[in-house]
Amino acid sequence: MQTMGLSRLVLVTPLRFPDADADAMAAGADAILNAARVAASLDEALAGATLAIGFSARAREFAGTVLPVRAAMQEALRYAASGDVALVFGTEMSGLSNAELSRCQIVATIPAVSDFGSLNLAAAVQVAAYELRVAAHGDRVWTAPAFEPATQEEIELLFEQGERALIAIDFLRPAHPKRLLPRLRRLFSRARLEKEEVNILRGILARIEERVQNGWRK
C-alpha cells in the first residue's frame, strides 16, 4: 500500500491486532499499521463509502457488475472524486463469501490462466494498488541520464578508422567487401552512438592498428 501511495487500512475482525509478526513484515510501512482502523463487521467498514469493489477470482452466480482489475480501478478513480471508495479483500484461505461480495457494487477480478487463477492476498492487493496508481498518475518512471550524442562527422571518422582496422587484420577484403560495411552502419545507426562511446570505439581501433603495425608483439 505504501509503495503505491495508499494509506487507509481497515481490518474487519482480525484474529490479532496489533500483532508483532505484522509489524515485522511491514518492512518500514509501520505508519499504515499504526493508523489502521478495526471494524466489527464489513458493513461497519464500508459505512460512508460511495463505492465498494470486491475482489474475487471465482465466478459467482449473483455477482452483478464484474470488471477486470484495470477497468475496476478506473471506476474507483471516477467515484473517488465525490467520496470514499473501498477495495474489499477476503481472507487468505477462502476470499470473500457470497454474502460479503453482495455488499460490493463491483466485483473486480485479476485476469489469469483459467486453471490456476488464484493469487495470495498480498499479491492481489499489490496488483490492485498498482493498477489504481497507474489509473491516477499514469505509468511515468524514472529516466536514465542523457549523454551527448555523437555528431555525424564523428561517426564517419569512426567508420573510416574501423574500415582501416578491419582491412589491417584481414577481416575486410576491399576487393570483396560484400555487405559488411552497410550492415555495420545499420548496426551503429540503431545504437544511436554517444560521443563517449565513439571515443571508446576509436580508442579500441587505435590499439588494434598499433598492434598490427608492431607485428602483434606484446
Side-chain angles (χ1 to χ4, degrees), residues 7 10 29 31 36 38 44 46 70 99 101 104 147 150 153-154 159 179 182 185 210:
S7 59
V10 180
V38 174
E44 179 186 328
L46 295 178
R70 185 161 298 174
L101 206 58
C104 304
F147 297 96
E153 292 81 4
E154 290 167 335
F159 274 111
R179 303 174 67 181
R185 281 188 179 276
E210 178 187 338

Side-chain angles (χ1 to χ4, degrees), residues 88-188:
V88 184
F89 297 87
T91 65
E92 186 78 71
M93 293 299 295
S94 58
L96 292 171
S97 67
N98 288 334
E100 291 166 337
L101 206 58
S102 70
R103 301 295 198 276
C104 304
Q105 292 80 33
I106 292 175
V107 176
T109 189
I110 298 170
V113 295
S114 59
D115 59 345
F116 204 77
S118 180
L119 292 173
N120 65 43
L121 178 58
V125 172
Q126 187 68 74
V127 171
Y130 166 77
E131 290 291 351
L132 184 58
R133 181 162 186 82
V134 170
H137 301 288
D139 56 0
R140 295 184 301 274
V141 296
W142 62 273
T143 56
F147 297 96
E148 186 178 358
T151 65
Q152 288 298 113
E153 292 81 4
E154 290 167 335
I155 293 174
E156 284 305 311
L157 289 173
L158 168 65
F159 274 111
E160 290 173 9
Q161 186 178 5
E163 184 175 359
R164 291 196 306 269
L166 292 175
I167 291 172
I169 63 174
D170 202 27
F171 190 83
L172 172 65
R173 299 181 180 180
H176 304 285
K178 296 185 179 181
R179 303 174 67 181
L180 176 60
L181 292 179
R183 285 192 175 278
L184 287 176
R185 281 188 179 276
R186 184 166 176 262
L187 170 64
F188 286 120

